[in-house]
Amino acid sequence: MTELVTVRPEGLYCEPGDFYIDPWRPVSRAIITHAHSDHARIGHQHYLTAAAGVGILKSRLGEINIEGLPYGQELIHNGVCISLHPAGHVLGSAQVRLEYKGEIWVASGDYKLEADGTCTAFEPVRCDTFITESTFGLPIYRWQAQQEIYQDINRWWSRNKEEGRTSVLFCYSFGKAQRILHGLDSSIGSIVCHGAVQALNQIYRDAGIVLPPTKMVDEIHDKSELKQAIVIAPPSAGNSPWIKRFGDYSDAFASGWMQLRGARRRRGVDRGFVLSDHADWPGLMQAIQATGAGRVIVTHGSIPSMVRFLQEQGLQAGGFDTEYGDEENPAEVPKVAETTKSVDDTDNRPGHA
């Protein structure tokens, strides 16, 4: 089998095509799966990304030499057929399909299977080799339906409003914030966004994504309105003077890591909402099964456990050592003991997720 993609010091490299996928060091040609900072770096000479992600990538990286490719459209480069397919992670996120001499590889980037209305839904792509993320690649990670989480957030907001306290919800500015906004009940009160979130909201709106009306805190002059509002802010705002203007407030954090009690304690917030833009364990297994791939290469996350499990299911599996991280403030992410204690459950096998 041809090694169509390998790991070099610069990143994931396609030798026949002479380009990289989400490289972490400057290269001449880079295909970018999405605009989170661990996958999209500054300094490449040429960028190729999904057309839906061009605006967000330029907003984050500045003036770059970038080409947008519509989902599903093919491009031939040095004999390699390239196409990009929805990953369902954030606006413009894509899986990279490579076909060369009859062999098909797909690099997933980051992905989730549950459609959320703020980006094009995940699309399974058949292939021989699937390079998959494993951010939440342990059987303990199983997400509630997002609508249930939205209802919990709206109930929390309503209770705070009744008690005369501002609701401050910390979450990642790009992707998570817009997804939460999409699920908020704007009839409860005003929605206030930190400047880092508001700038990205506009890019989403320009892309045709419907979000409820939002305000900056400086636009609110009546303190009683602020006491009934929900504030969407990045985690860094919690340690800044900006947060002091809300007085007595109730705070919460939204992340997949909130499933772990230790993460909630370290955050020191009133509430933790388990909402992730990455696939959970059943989602990862379902995605792998849908590709039909006989070979799976696991990247960033719980690599050893997931590789071992896939091998037990009869797949050829291995791992790539990459420099990708977790966009949800990885310094705060607790270490989880890698174990196969619960992977013997047959319902977790690919095809049974």
Side-chain angles (χ1 to χ4, degrees):
M1 180 179 288
T2 303
E3 292 299 309
L4 191 52
V5 177
T6 57
V7 181
R8 286 191 173 185
E10 298 84 358
L12 302 184
Y13 180 62
C14 175
E15 184 171 359
D18 190 25
F19 56 78
Y20 289 81
I21 300 171
D22 291 347
W24 42 84
R25 289 174 180 76
V27 300
S28 58
R29 299 190 69 86
I31 299 178
I32 304 300
T33 62
H34 65 287
H36 277 143
S37 58
D38 58 328
H39 291 258
R41 312 285 179 97
I42 195 68
H44 310 314
Q45 294 178 30
H46 181 272
Y47 293 76
L48 175 69
T49 196
V54 169
I56 197 79
L57 202 58
K58 290 172 80 171
S59 76
R60 309 204 89 196
L61 299 183
E63 288 301 317
I64 53 175
N65 179 17
I66 188 168
E67 178 181 358
L69 188 66
Y71 288 130
Q73 184 172 307
E74 296 181 346
L75 180 154
I76 307 295
H77 182 75
N78 292 346
V80 178
C81 181
I82 304 165
S83 57
L84 304 179
H85 303 264
H89 179 57
V90 292
L91 180 64
S93 60
Q95 304 170 81
V96 181
R97 181 187 185 274
L98 307 176
E99 184 170 359
Y100 182 70
K101 294 185 176 179
E103 200 168 307
I104 300 172
W105 286 47
V106 170
S108 73
D110 290 337
Y111 65 95
K112 73 174 186 303
L113 273 61
E114 187 177 26
D116 66 26
T118 64
C119 61
T120 306
F122 177 86
E123 172 188 299
V125 183
R126 303 287 290 186
C127 58
D128 302 301
T129 299
F130 185 48
I131 303 173
T132 179
E133 65 137 315
S134 63
T135 303
F136 292 101
L138 290 172
I140 62 170
Y141 295 113
R142 297 165 185 268
W143 309 144
Q144 280 181 273
Q146 63 188 354
Q147 194 56 44
E148 296 175 9
I149 305 300
Y150 295 152
Q151 290 170 358
D152 285 346
I153 293 172
N154 286 321
R155 282 193 290 265
W156 169 74
W157 178 14
S158 293
R159 283 197 300 272
N160 291 332
K161 174 186 174 181
E162 292 171 2
E163 295 171 4
R165 294 193 298 172
T166 306
S167 301
V168 178
L169 180 52
F170 297 112
C171 59
Y172 196 69
S173 299
F174 169 38
K176 181 68 59 61
Q178 292 72 36
R179 186 179 175 194
I180 288 172
L181 287 171
H182 193 72
L184 290 180
D185 179 0
S186 59
S187 69
I188 297 172
S190 297
I191 302 173
V192 178
C193 288
H194 185 277
V197 174
Q198 190 77 325
L200 292 163
N201 292 346
Q202 189 57 51
I203 295 172
Y204 269 69
R205 291 184 174 109
D206 291 344
I209 305 301
V210 177
L211 299 176
T214 56
K215 299 179 179 180
M216 298 278 282
V217 67
D218 292 340
E219 298 177 71
I220 296 182
H221 304 291
D222 184 346
K223 289 186 177 181
S224 64
E225 180 183 355
L226 201 56
K227 291 297 182 184
Q228 300 177 9
I230 188 169
V231 178
I232 307 299
S236 58
N239 297 318
S240 71
W242 179 85
I243 199 71
K244 295 179 180 178
R245 67 187 68 194
F246 302 113
D248 179 26
Y249 62 86
S250 177
D251 57 4
F253 194 88
S255 167
W257 300 113
M258 290 297 102
Q259 184 165 316
L260 303 176
R261 291 180 182 177
R264 292 197 294 270
R265 284 197 302 270
R266 278 192 285 278
R267 284 290 179 185
V269 292
D270 298 331
R271 286 291 304 271
F273 295 107
V274 183
L275 185 70
S276 178
D277 296 328
H278 295 264
D280 61 1
W281 175 263
L284 291 166
M285 296 301 108
Q286 182 180 337
I288 290 168
Q289 172 67 16
T291 67
R295 183 185 186 193
V296 180
I297 300 173
V298 183
T299 69
H300 60 305
S302 304
I303 297 176
S305 291
M306 196 159 155
V307 166
R308 184 165 58 248
F309 176 76
L310 294 173
Q311 289 173 341
E312 290 172 354
Q313 311 313 306
L315 293 174
Q316 183 183 354
F320 274 166
D321 186 15
T322 69
E323 295 189 13
Y324 307 131
D326 174 56
E327 66 274 5
E328 296 174 351
N329 215 356
E332 298 288 342
V333 174
K335 294 289 185 181
V336 181
E338 295 203 338
T339 175
T340 56
K341 181 177 179 181
S342 59
V343 298
D344 292 331
D345 181 354
T346 56
D347 289 341
N348 291 336
R349 290 178 297 170
H352 297 78

